Amino acid sequence: MRSPNFLIFLTDQQRADHLGCYGNAVVRTPHIDAIAAGGTRFQRTYVANPVCMPNRAAIMTGRMPSVNGARGNGTPLPLDSVTFADVLAEFGYRTALIGKSHLQNMEDRPPALPPTASSSARASARYGESRRIDLSDPAYRQELRSSWENPGHRIRLPYYGFQEVVLCNHHADECFGDYSRWLALEHPERAGQLGREHGSVDPRFVAPQAWHTRLDEYQYPTHYIADQTMNWLRRHARDSADHPFALLCSFPDPHHPWTPPGRYWDLYDPGTIAVPATATSTDHPPRHVDWLRRERATGQARLDSPRMFAATPREIQEIIALTYGMITNIDDRVGMVMATLRELGLDRDTVVIFTSDHGDLMGDHGVMLKGPLHYQGLVRVPFIWKDPAGTDATTRVDLTSSMDLGPTILRRADIEPPHGVQGVPLFDRSGTSLPSGRDGVLIEECQQRSYVGFETPVQARTLVTDQNRITMFHEGTWGELYDLEADPLEARNLWDEPSALAVRLALVEQLTRTLIRHADHSPRPSSLA
């Protein structure tokens, strides 16, 4: 039996409900919807962490961020990690990553964490950390923008199991890596005109971080990634057809800044976009939402940073409209890649997967971007699996995690996942569904920032069950509890309500047991003593 190929589409910061196949009647995603129409659509897939680096690391390793080591943005995935790409390569797969990686740091900004308190005791020059890992080593600086300013810099291969890498890091028209070198060679007139300082402002728009890029749709990173993916598939069909492949096509959009190129800018009219029902609610908002709203009202919000902020209704409409434009651009490129897959005859043996690294609040409760507000729009992501072994559209409602992607790929390839993997396979080697068996999904948050009313960097743990979502913070005595069946918009926090006390205590116990279950069990013991 021939081993299946795997083509994985990964978008950046895309909510599950920002696709037609997930019920969105406005955004146009016919090509992604077609993948879902011939495959399995998972309704309840949740992230292991609602931030880029840690959840990408969880996808690659099948392990929680607190276990795999990439616990938050700014902390790279340790190079000794075993990824599903490593395992596939061992079994003869050709593995490639085209697009955004973000398994290591992209920018040279200093950390936001406060320095360690000094004392009179002597500090070790060699052992300042509890692990023997040196993040200043060039091996951990491969994705940095400053490293790519050196014309001779390349990704060292293999890279987390990928035998080939075409890097397009960062977001919008500010991407760099192999992409920026291609742009300088093919479109030198545009290479020096990237980013917000060169973009033009649309006078009709008031939203921050939104500008007209000087790139057309064929120079924009989304098209470059799709084009490189199509070229890779053609080379594979020509030169390596006897080998199975695993190809990750990773788009940096629809992550902010919002810069859909060309015709995609005006594709959706902000005036027709519905504002989320919770955006303007004033009925006892949770204290972290209230903190963000007060920050905006007093003029202290950081609207041009990656940090979440409270937005006005008009800003929400504009940002959603521009996001939809970016998503339709992605969908058009997915269609091009899928057409190439069919033209080459590779679709007969290829499992096609579509997912995202996390969602975006997108105006829910009046807030934009991401942070320790674990509402459904942020923590729930699309997950579509189209298998050549099956043709009928199927919907699954069991609880699944981003961590499940790697072990599912391996099990479908008839390969046992490594010991210590915490995700569970969702299909067997024949493509038959396997129930996740989860009674809850664990979500972590490990922030560098002290904000939304906390005095120390925010640490949170969330458990999503069939009916509820509970979130606890390391600081303070309050938390969040929502009945997702009775209150799908998460508008009423039941944490302090006496009638919900028994449910809260039961969920706290379940969260505790889930945390215990997700302790690290690798490596195996080599002896009884």
Side-chain angles (χ1 to χ4, degrees):
M1 182 178 65
R2 181 180 173 85
S3 297
N5 305 313
F6 298 95
L7 172 59
I8 308 153
F9 293 109
L10 178 64
T11 55
D12 198 338
Q13 201 156 302
Q14 181 175 0
R15 296 163 59 112
D17 59 6
H18 277 189
L19 289 171
C21 57
Y22 278 87
N24 192 306
V26 178
V27 67
R28 298 169 221 167
T29 54
H31 301 292
I32 298 168
D33 297 347
I35 297 172
T40 301
R41 176 171 49 87
F42 289 82
Q43 277 291 92
R44 304 199 66 191
T45 296
Y46 291 92
V47 297
N49 188 304
V51 182
C52 297
M53 282 180 72
N55 206 55
R56 286 170 181 264
I59 288 171
M60 293 303 303
T61 63
R63 288 156 57 84
M64 291 298 294
S66 61
V67 173
N68 69 44
R71 63 187 181 276
N73 274 3
T75 309
L77 180 64
L79 287 164
D80 61 1
S81 302
V82 175
T83 69
F84 71 80
D86 281 309
V87 181
L88 290 173
E90 179 189 358
F91 282 83
Y93 274 77
R94 290 189 66 212
T95 58
L97 162 63
I98 298 174
K100 182 183 175 184
S101 169
H102 208 185
L103 297 173
Q104 295 187 0
N105 297 334
M106 297 190 301
E107 293 289 1
D108 297 84
R109 294 193 300 263
L113 282 171
T116 304
S118 60
S119 71
S120 59
R122 293 179 296 168
S124 171
R126 295 177 60 192
Y127 304 114
E129 293 284 349
S130 298
R131 299 179 61 185
R132 296 175 188 267
I133 182 171
D134 180 8
L135 298 185
S136 66
D137 189 297
Y140 284 105
R141 299 177 60 83
Q142 297 188 66
E143 296 189 37
L144 284 175
R145 185 183 292 272
S146 60
S147 296
W148 284 88
E149 293 171 357
N150 174 3
H153 178 71
R154 295 288 187 277
I155 293 290
R156 301 180 190 177
L157 301 175
Y159 189 67
Y160 295 106
F162 292 112
Q163 299 154 336
E164 299 176 60
V165 174
V166 179
L167 191 70
C168 182
N169 257 5
H170 223 266
H171 309 108
D173 68 349
E174 297 179 320
C175 291
F176 64 90
D178 291 300
Y179 164 73
S180 56
R181 292 177 182 172
W182 168 85
L183 190 68
L185 182 65
E186 298 294 331
H187 303 281
E189 76 283 1
R190 289 286 178 257
Q193 299 179 333
L194 304 179
R196 60 200 77 198
E197 65 269 27
H198 297 286
S200 60
V201 176
D202 189 325
R204 300 170 298 170
F205 284 68
V206 298
Q209 303 189 49
W211 64 84
H212 263 303
T213 174
R214 291 180 177 269
L215 301 176
D216 66 31
E217 65 178 273
Y218 301 103
Q219 300 163 345
Y220 194 77
T222 298
H223 182 80
Y224 170 80
I225 292 166
D227 192 53
Q228 292 291 316
T229 299
M230 292 185 288
N231 289 339
W232 192 95
L233 289 169
R234 294 185 187 108
R235 290 195 303 271
H236 175 84
R238 184 190 65 217
D239 302 331
S240 307
D242 292 338
H243 294 272
F245 69 80
L247 174 57
L248 175 57
C249 174
S250 177
F251 296 108
D253 278 2
H255 191 289
H256 63 100
W258 300 283
T259 63
R263 59 193 171 101
Y264 297 101
W265 179 272
D266 284 317
L267 199 57
Y268 298 92
D269 178 3
T272 66
I273 300 296
V275 176
T278 56
T280 56
S281 171
T282 58
D283 185 21
H284 303 101
R287 61 186 70 186
H288 45 22
V289 172
D290 185 55
W291 188 94
L292 288 164
R293 291 179 178 180
R294 285 187 284 106
E295 181 190 52
R296 180 67 189 269
T298 56
Q300 300 179 68
R302 303 173 189 175
L303 303 182
D304 287 320
S305 81
R307 209 195 77 180
M308 61 183 176
F309 62 91
T312 68
R314 177 61 189 182
E315 289 169 344
I316 293 169
Q317 289 179 300
E318 292 175 1
I319 289 170
I320 292 176
L322 294 173
T323 297
Y324 284 175
M326 298 165 89
I327 292 171
T328 297
N329 186 20
I330 291 170
D331 184 78
D332 286 342
R333 271 61 200 177
V334 168
M336 295 166 62
V337 174
M338 292 299 293
T340 301
L341 195 74
R342 290 189 294 270
E343 290 165 8
L344 298 170
L346 294 171
D347 58 313
R348 295 188 296 269
D349 299 306
T350 301
V351 175
V352 179
I353 300 158
F354 183 94
T355 192
S356 179
D357 61 355
H358 56 83
D360 190 304
L361 291 164
M362 275 288 141
D364 287 348
H365 301 270
V367 181
M368 279 293 168
L369 307 183
K370 58 183 179 284
L373 279 68
H374 291 179
Y375 294 112
Q376 296 294 292
L378 177 61
V379 299
R380 177 173 165 256
V381 290
F383 181 27
I384 302 167
W385 178 283
K386 184 178 186 298
D387 199 307
T391 56
D392 296 330
T394 304
T395 300
R396 284 182 53 172
V397 296
D398 50 332
L399 294 166
T400 54
S401 168
S402 292
M403 291 194 304
D404 299 337
L405 178 59
T408 302
I409 288 173
L410 293 177
R411 183 61 59 84
R412 181 64 179 87
D414 199 21
I415 301 170
E416 187 66 25
H419 176 72
V421 163
Q422 298 170 318
V424 296
L426 304 174
F427 295 94
D428 67 13
R429 66 179 183 177
S430 69
T432 302
S433 288
L434 299 173
S436 71
R438 295 182 184 276
D439 60 2
V441 179
L442 177 64
I443 301 169
E444 300 177 340
E445 181 100 14
C446 186
Q447 284 272 347
Q448 293 191 38
R449 295 182 175 95
S450 305
Y451 68 140
V452 294
F454 293 103
E455 298 297 324
T456 56
V458 185
Q459 311 289 308
R461 296 295 184 268
T462 287
L463 184 73
V464 179
T465 69
D466 284 332
Q467 182 171 347
N468 298 104
R469 190 259 287 185
I470 186 171
T471 299
M472 297 184 67
F473 302 93
H474 82 297
E475 181 183 314
T477 59
W478 69 282
E480 293 178 89
L481 172 60
Y482 299 96
D483 183 332
L484 299 177
E485 291 184 0
D487 178 25
L489 298 181
E490 298 169 288
R492 183 181 177 187
N493 184 7
L494 304 175
W495 181 267
D496 289 322
E497 295 201 10
S499 62
L501 179 60
V503 173
R504 174 179 144 190
L505 293 176
L507 288 170
V508 168
E509 179 178 346
Q510 185 177 349
L511 173 59
T512 303
R513 294 186 185 281
T514 304
L515 287 166
I516 294 171
R517 191 165 65 247
H518 283 81
D520 197 358
H521 295 283
S522 179
R524 287 188 179 93
S526 59
S527 171
L528 260 180

